[in-house]
Amino acid sequence: MNRIQRLTPILKSFVEKGPAGCALTVVRRGEVLYQDSFGYADLEKKKEISTDTIYRIYSMTKVITCTAALMLYERGHYLLNDPLEEYLPEFKNPMVYRYNEFGDMTVSPAANPIRVKDLFTMSSGLTYGGIGTETERQTRVMMENAAATMNMRELSKQLAAIPLAFDPGTHWKYGTSHDVLAALIEVLSGQTFEEFLKQEIFGPLGMNDTSFRISDDKRDRLCVMYDSAEDGKLTVNDRMDTPFQP
């Protein structure tokens, strides 16, 4: 039994002990070497996973965002060292929250401008919402209603109004840098982010089921997502769905 053939018993065992289901396709140089699915897309309905099941890709969107931005880089629309403020003026003269050895916080101008490359590498000083720093706390409050009320340009402006967590280019922090990169794509392309992705990536690659929202005729193909407790019990997780598509 070769390595490809051994995948089936491995995946069956994986589903028995863990998630509701999974699917795997192995492609090498354009040839499909293995394709199969196991378990359920919906446990309650006993709906099995199939080749047309639709999944949430969450932060894999970041890879697509960077690809789109690099396409514009290849076309000469910007340089990686360009200050972001040349394209998104809301980021001119950024401020930074700073803390001394006693934990006291002050706000002062950033030592460097945010450069486009800082968005790619998440070294911009932008963060996600959280409780660890004042930047995270303010971002959390702002993002609570962002999905329902803001477009990419408005989101960029709201984020720019919050002092950064550190001087751009000096540290790494997982956060909203790629969201701002999407706003940059809109300014450079003259299209909405969604329109650009459809025209330049999804359409040419035949990614007909990839989008930010699911049309009504495809909703029944979306798999249910589950949380797994320590005892293996699975419970439905729809916490991230509501802001985008109830």
Side-chain angles (χ1 to χ4, degrees):
M1 182 182 294
N2 62 34
R3 281 179 289 181
I4 291 294
Q5 291 172 325
R6 287 200 296 267
L7 287 172
T8 295
I10 290 173
L11 292 172
K12 284 183 177 179
S13 175
F14 176 61
V15 170
E16 289 171 359
K17 299 176 182 178
C22 69
L24 177 66
T25 301
V26 179
V27 181
R28 182 173 183 265
R29 296 176 182 173
E31 179 186 0
V32 177
L33 301 181
Y34 180 90
Q35 186 175 55
D36 210 341
S37 56
F38 306 88
Y40 297 98
D42 188 324
L43 285 172
E44 183 180 1
K45 296 179 180 178
K46 296 299 180 185
K47 185 175 182 178
E48 296 182 348
I49 287 180
S50 65
T51 54
D52 69 348
T53 296
I54 295 177
Y55 305 89
R56 301 158 183 80
I57 65 174
Y58 289 120
S59 283
M60 283 187 284
T61 305
K62 291 180 171 63
V63 181
I64 299 171
T65 302
C66 289
T67 298
L70 288 172
M71 291 170 71
L72 292 170
Y73 169 75
E74 289 182 332
R75 296 171 188 174
H77 287 270
Y78 66 92
L79 296 176
L80 292 173
N81 280 319
D82 285 346
L84 181 60
E85 65 194 55
E86 292 184 5
Y87 309 100
L88 302 178
E90 59 264 29
F91 283 98
K92 187 175 183 179
N93 301 323
M95 304 295 285
V96 177
Y97 282 122
R98 306 184 190 279
Y99 302 85
N100 64 18
E101 57 187 308
F102 305 107
D104 298 323
M105 184 182 71
T106 58
V107 182
S108 61
N112 316 296
I114 298 176
R115 300 189 182 278
V116 175
K117 65 181 180 182
D118 297 328
L119 298 178
F120 281 101
T121 60
M122 293 208 174
S123 56
S124 64
L126 296 162
T127 71
Y128 274 133
I131 59 174
T133 66
E134 185 60 24
T135 302
E136 291 177 5
R137 286 187 284 271
Q138 290 192 26
T139 301
R140 184 193 70 222
V141 173
M142 187 274 293
M143 291 291 289
E144 285 176 352
N145 296 312
T149 61
M150 298 182 189
N151 56 35
M152 296 312 302
R153 289 296 291 116
E154 182 60 25
L155 178 66
S156 175
K157 293 173 183 178
Q158 294 283 343
L159 289 170
I162 300 172
L164 304 170
F166 50 80
D167 288 313
T170 62
H171 297 283
W172 177 90
K173 183 71 175 179
Y174 194 59
T176 58
S177 291
H178 290 177
D179 298 83
V180 174
L181 194 59
L184 176 65
I185 290 169
E186 291 196 340
V187 169
L188 295 175
S189 69
Q191 298 175 278
T192 68
F193 184 45
E194 185 173 17
E195 288 170 347
F196 186 86
L197 295 184
K198 285 182 177 179
Q199 178 178 317
E200 300 287 347
I201 298 178
F202 301 153
L205 292 179
M207 298 170 66
N208 301 318
D209 292 329
T210 306
S211 61
F212 286 102
R213 288 175 173 80
I214 304 174
S215 58
D216 290 340
D217 61 320
K218 295 181 180 180
R219 286 195 182 191
D220 63 336
R221 293 165 51 197
L222 178 66
C223 67
V224 177
M225 189 168 65
Y226 298 91
D227 286 332
S228 178
E230 289 189 11
D231 62 2
K233 182 180 179 181
L234 299 177
T235 55
V236 175
N237 177 347
D238 59 3
R239 295 186 297 273
M240 294 288 285
D241 291 352
T242 304
F244 301 101
Q245 184 162 300

